[in-house]
Amino acid sequence: MLVWFLPLFLLFLMIGLPVFFGLLAAPGILLWLNGQERDITLLYRNLYNGMDSFPLMAIPFFMLAGELMNRGGITMRLVEFSQAMMGHFRGGLAHVNILSSMLFAGLSGSAVADTSALGSMLIPAMEKQGYTRRFAAAITAASSVIGPIIPPSGIMIIYAYVMGESVAALFLAGIVPGVMVGLGLMLMVKFQADKYDFPVATKKHSWGERGQASLKAFFPLLTPVIILGGILAGVFTPTEAAAVAVAYALVIGLFVMRTLKFSDLPDVLNRAGITSAVVLLLVGAAMAFKTVVSLSHAPETMAEFVLSLTSNPLILLFLINLLLFIVGMFLDAGPAIIILGPILGPIFVSLGVDPIHFAIIMSVNLTVGLATPPMGLVLFVASSVSGERVETISKAILPFLAVEILVIFLITYIPAISMTIPRLTGFAN
């Protein structure tokens, strides 16, 4: 059934059917054609069961926290802090863009939110400074993929739920890879800045000005410290941490910084609710599909096929990275993780790959896919924000994608990059 599911699923996507309906319709039709009507009932019953989960409640809470902070002007303070620290370098605004994405990642965990919030401010500013609009859009899209890698991360919450792994361990394992992506992009910007004589954004700020910018950004920057610190100290679970993040964002926005108004809350709640509903419906549909896949013994069949190619885990990791990269071009990271995780994860665990290590390989690879032509979601968001065509952004983003692919292979073949922090803190063996 898995062989026929993928072509049918892709056909539904090509004709414009939403991913949610495709994930349910494709296996449903195949079960009906196979005369397995009783399993169709199981498929649609598990749609609700797939969403009915306490750990998944972290997703709408983190979405809401991100919306509150964005509406409360926190994004602007992060940009001002980044500019005070890095704006005086050649190609300064490009560096500011990347650093802002790294800082914003600790607040929202969403690549789309990053592209939309930072792009609307930085793309016009970069164009005004003398950058081409396609370059500004490309660096915004490329740096936004850091959002789901540095914790908190909605994608990692989904993976942990589907595969039964520790959310805290995945969060910790994502810190170094996320920082590596950011530093790699900065090195590429430095190379291009020297080659193409990029402008300097601002004069070098004095330490007093940097101190003022740091004070303004203090409360926003404290958010990831509270989230991760609370989880690591055992004060609250990741789901409770997400709720604490919402309460913190409300207090900071309404009473401390006073940049958020009570009249803003209905629209914020509406936007967060719609975004969360989309994600949770996809999770529910994919969990229902996972149940049908397990009944068809597709994972075992796929494992036998993969292992028949080669038993060398290094070669298999290369092939799987290639597969994930191709999948990431066409499918959003969340559904891809839920569909492929239960199939691929057990194969590599049986070969001796640590489950947390494989989770990071898969999450980072599919996250980079969000910025990969032709169907990368953040490319379309960047196009919408900048007014530049997706095709021109796709050409400009290629050097940055090369850096991110290099980081993926470093993470793949040097497990210590992602595993050191979880091991030191006792969240991994």
Side-chain angles (χ1 to χ4, degrees), residues 49 60 127 203 237 261 293:
N49 293 337
E127 192 175 9
K203 64 177 179 62
T237 66
K261 301 175 183 176
V293 167

Side-chain angles (χ1 to χ4, degrees), residues 67-147:
E67 286 288 343
L68 287 168
M69 291 182 178
N70 195 23
R71 182 61 66 89
I74 287 174
T75 307
M76 177 63 76
R77 297 203 174 197
L78 293 178
V79 171
E80 289 174 354
F81 171 77
S82 301
Q83 192 153 346
M85 297 299 169
M86 304 196 70
H88 59 282
F89 292 114
R90 185 160 299 283
L93 267 185
H95 290 298
V96 167
N97 197 321
I98 297 166
L99 181 58
S100 298
S101 290
M102 294 172 71
L103 298 175
F104 195 75
L107 308 182
S108 73
S110 167
V112 172
D114 186 319
T115 308
S116 178
L118 295 175
S120 58
M121 285 188 294
L122 287 173
I123 291 175
M126 290 179 72
E127 192 175 9
K128 191 175 180 181
Q129 283 270 333
Y131 297 87
T132 62
R133 190 186 304 176
R134 65 179 181 180
F135 176 84
I139 191 61
T140 302
S143 64
S144 70
V145 304
I146 301 171

Side-chain angles (χ1 to χ4, degrees), residues 52-372:
D52 186 20
S53 164
F54 179 74
L56 280 182
M57 285 299 296
I59 293 176
F61 277 122
F62 278 129
M63 295 281 188
L64 178 55
E67 286 288 343
L68 287 168
M69 291 182 178
N70 195 23
R71 182 61 66 89
I74 287 174
T75 307
M76 177 63 76
R77 297 203 174 197
L78 293 178
V79 171
E80 289 174 354
F81 171 77
S82 301
Q83 192 153 346
M85 297 299 169
M86 304 196 70
H88 59 282
F89 292 114
R90 185 160 299 283
L93 267 185
H95 290 298
V96 167
N97 197 321
I98 297 166
L99 181 58
S100 298
S101 290
M102 294 172 71
L103 298 175
F104 195 75
L107 308 182
S108 73
S110 167
V112 172
D114 186 319
T115 308
S116 178
L118 295 175
S120 58
M121 285 188 294
L122 287 173
I123 291 175
M126 290 179 72
E127 192 175 9
K128 191 175 180 181
Q129 283 270 333
Y131 297 87
T132 62
R133 190 186 304 176
R134 65 179 181 180
F135 176 84
I139 191 61
T140 302
S143 64
S144 70
V145 304
I146 301 171
I149 302 174
I150 294 178
S153 167
I155 289 173
M156 291 182 189
I157 292 171
I158 292 172
Y159 189 100
Y161 168 63
V162 172
M163 301 299 291
E165 299 297 338
S166 164
V167 174
L170 291 183
F171 277 9
L172 291 170
I175 294 173
V176 176
V179 172
M180 284 180 64
V181 171
L183 293 177
L185 293 177
M186 286 182 180
L187 286 173
M188 178 55 71
V189 166
K190 185 180 185 310
F191 171 77
Q192 293 194 340
D194 293 337
K195 184 177 180 180
Y196 299 111
D197 196 28
F198 285 174
V200 175
T202 59
K203 64 177 179 62
K204 189 171 183 177
H205 287 71
S206 67
W207 285 108
E209 291 171 326
R210 290 181 179 181
Q212 286 184 334
S214 301
L215 283 175
K216 287 183 179 180
F218 174 76
F219 288 111
L221 293 175
L222 202 58
T223 308
V225 177
I226 293 173
I227 293 170
L228 279 180
I231 294 172
L232 295 179
V235 177
F236 36 66
T237 66
T239 304
E240 292 163 347
V244 169
V246 171
Y248 180 75
L250 274 171
V251 171
I252 294 303
L254 289 172
F255 305 114
V256 178
M257 293 170 49
R258 296 185 179 180
T259 50
L260 188 68
K261 301 175 183 176
F262 281 101
S263 58
D264 295 328
L265 295 183
D267 185 53
V268 168
L269 291 168
N270 183 51
R271 288 171 61 89
I274 292 172
T275 308
S276 302
V278 171
V279 174
L280 291 175
L281 282 173
L282 285 173
V283 172
M287 288 298 288
F289 165 71
K290 176 191 169 186
T291 304
V292 176
V293 167
S294 63
L295 288 174
S296 66
H297 302 288
E300 293 88 343
T301 305
M302 179 68 79
E304 290 175 7
F305 170 73
V306 170
L307 292 173
S308 68
L309 299 175
T310 176
S311 58
N312 187 324
L314 299 180
I315 297 175
L316 281 176
L317 283 170
F318 175 81
L319 294 175
I320 290 303
N321 269 318
L322 192 60
L323 170 66
L324 292 174
F325 189 71
I326 295 170
V327 169
M329 292 181 182
F330 300 96
L331 196 59
D332 196 14
I337 281 173
I338 301 170
I339 294 169
L340 295 176
I343 297 172
L344 300 177
I347 298 173
F348 286 90
V349 171
S350 67
L351 291 173
V353 178
D354 189 283
I356 300 298
H357 181 213
F358 183 75
I360 294 301
I361 294 171
M362 192 169 189
S363 298
V364 174
N365 198 317
L366 290 172
T367 299
V368 170
L370 293 171
T372 306

Side-chain angles (χ1 to χ4, degrees), residues 400-418:
F400 303 110
L401 284 178
V403 170
E404 291 170 346
I405 292 168
L406 175 61
V407 172
I408 289 171
F409 280 109
L410 288 174
I411 295 167
T412 300
Y413 292 113
I414 308 176
I417 291 173
S418 53

